[in-house]
C-alpha cells in the first residue's frame, strides 16, 4: 500500500521542531525549514495546537533569524497561548494548568535572550533588533 505524502494539519506542527527545539545538526536545510515555517503560519488551524507549540515555533523562527516571527509566535492571540494572571498556561476549562507551555515559554525566551551555538554575536539574538526590546538576563548559558 502506498500513502501519498501529506501533512496532517492537526495537533502539533512538530515538523518545525527539528530545527528549533532541536539544535542545528546539519541534517535540516534552513531554507526548507523557513518555507515550512511560513506554510505552518499561513495554514495551521491553531485550535488543534497545544501551549508548548508556540514557544517551539518561536525557537525555530529565532534559529532561522526570523526574530519578529519568533516574537509573534510567543504573542499569538489564540486560546491555547493564553497565560493567566497567576502565570499558568491555560488550555481548556478542564486543563487550566499546562506546564509544558510554561516550560516552553521559559526555554524559548532563554534561547532568544542568550542565544545558541552559532547564533549571531550580539546581545539577545532571538529578539528583533532596533532597540524596541530591552532584554536583560543573567546566569543564562547559550543553548546548543
Amino acid at each position: 500500500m502506498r500513502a501519498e505524502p501529506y501533512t496532517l494539519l492537526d495537533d502539533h506542527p512538530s515538523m518545525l521542531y527539528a530545527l528549533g527545539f532541536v539544535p542545528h545538526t546539519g541534517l535540516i536545510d534552513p531554507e526548507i525549514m523557513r518555507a515550512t515555517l511560513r506554510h505552518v503560519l499561513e495554514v495551521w488551524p491553531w485550535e488543534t495546537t497545544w501551549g508548548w507549540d508556540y514557544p517551539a515555533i518561536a525557537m525555530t523562527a529565532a534559529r532561522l533569524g526570523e526574530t519578529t516571527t519568533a516574537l509573534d509566535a510567543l504573542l499569538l492571540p489564540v486560546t491555547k497561548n493564553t497565560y493567566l494572571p497567576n502565570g499558568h498556561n491555560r488550555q481548556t476549562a478542564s486543563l487550566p494548568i499546562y506546564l509544558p507551555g510554561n516550560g516552553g515559554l521559559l526555554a524559548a525566551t532563554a534561547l532568544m535572550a542568550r542565544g545558541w551555538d552559532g547564533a549571531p554575536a550580539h546581545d539577545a539574538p532571538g529578539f528583533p533588533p532596533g532597540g524596541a526590546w530591552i532584554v536583560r538576563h543573567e546566569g543564562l548559558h547559550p543553548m546548543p
Side-chain angles (χ1 to χ4, degrees), residues 15-75:
M15 71 288 296
L16 295 177
Y17 306 167
L19 178 62
F21 180 76
V22 175
H24 185 59
T25 62
L27 298 174
I28 304 298
D29 181 320
E31 292 313 309
I32 291 174
M33 185 58 78
R34 187 181 319 281
T36 303
L37 173 63
R38 289 182 181 145
H39 180 73
V40 164
L41 294 172
E42 289 173 14
V43 303
W44 207 268
W46 299 114
E47 67 277 359
T48 70
T49 59
W50 289 89
W52 70 287
D53 291 319
Y54 306 97
I57 292 167
M59 287 188 262
T60 299
R63 288 184 191 264
L64 291 171
E66 304 275 345
T67 57
T68 299
T69 301
L71 197 55
D72 289 346
L74 292 180
L75 300 174

Side-chain angles (χ1 to χ4, degrees), residues 42-137:
E42 289 173 14
V43 303
W44 207 268
W46 299 114
E47 67 277 359
T48 70
T49 59
W50 289 89
W52 70 287
D53 291 319
Y54 306 97
I57 292 167
M59 287 188 262
T60 299
R63 288 184 191 264
L64 291 171
E66 304 275 345
T67 57
T68 299
T69 301
L71 197 55
D72 289 346
L74 292 180
L75 300 174
L76 198 65
V78 295
T79 301
K80 291 184 179 175
N81 197 29
T82 298
Y83 289 83
L84 302 175
N86 64 3
H88 291 306
N89 177 218
R90 183 185 189 282
Q91 301 301 283
T92 65
S94 63
L95 186 56
I97 300 171
Y98 186 65
L99 296 178
N102 291 92
L105 179 62
L106 293 172
T109 53
L111 175 127
M112 293 167 66
R114 184 58 178 93
W116 54 93
D117 292 346
H122 58 78
D123 197 33
F127 283 84
W133 286 84
I134 298 170
V135 179
R136 294 187 180 129
H137 59 83

